[in-house]
Amino acid sequence: MSLSNAILRGITGAFVLNSGLSKRNLPTEAAQGLQGFAATGVPQVTKMEPETFGKFVAYSEIGIGAALLTPVVSPRLAGAALGTFTAGLLAMYFRNPSMTESDGIRPSQEGMSLAKDAFMAAIAGALITSK
């Protein structure tokens, strides 16, 4: 694994893994809130029970973070997992009008927390295309 791949995977993997670990025991109300917000980008999540959705998000983030941190997982596979996850986050950003300025692209103050996920999309692209 190249040094640049290790840096991209290490920092991003630790961030995503930590995020997933912090969601393992979400209270129902918190899972409902997260699900409602996620539904702005991926409406199909409303078909899940809130507790199931919370566990799905937590364990998805744990799995993606672990894949990024595990050197035997190919950069392309780890990048594809990160890219898929990030696509859902960016869908929430672009489909929620309060997240962007009137041009639909630049982040509003409320959208800054999701706009930063564009960096994860770039990292996913770098991992997928790396040699």
Side-chain angles (χ1 to χ4, degrees):
M1 178 185 311
S2 69
L3 180 58
S4 61
N5 258 298
I7 293 168
L8 292 173
R9 291 176 70 159
I11 300 300
T12 309
F15 180 84
V16 175
L17 177 63
N18 182 62
S19 179
L21 290 172
S22 71
K23 290 182 178 99
R24 281 180 301 172
N25 298 308
L26 277 181
T28 301
E29 301 78 34
Q32 285 172 325
L34 184 61
Q35 184 179 28
F37 186 55
T40 63
V42 184
Q44 297 82 351
V45 301
T46 59
K47 296 178 181 177
M48 299 173 82
E49 292 296 320
E51 296 83 9
T52 303
F53 175 76
K55 289 185 187 320
F56 173 76
V57 170
Y59 292 113
S60 294
E61 288 182 351
I62 291 168
I64 293 165
L68 286 163
L69 292 169
T70 305
V72 296
V73 175
S74 75
R76 288 192 173 110
L77 181 59
L82 179 63
T84 301
F85 174 67
T86 304
L89 295 172
L90 291 176
M92 290 187 299
Y93 172 76
F94 285 113
R95 291 182 180 165
N96 188 331
S98 68
M99 295 286 145
T100 61
E101 297 291 340
S102 60
D103 61 11
I105 296 182
R106 292 177 299 129
S108 64
Q109 191 62 39
E110 187 178 337
M112 277 303 215
S113 63
L114 279 176
K116 57 123 178 83
D117 294 330
F119 291 106
M120 287 199 302
I123 292 166
L127 291 173
I128 291 169
T129 60
S130 68
K131 295 181 182 182

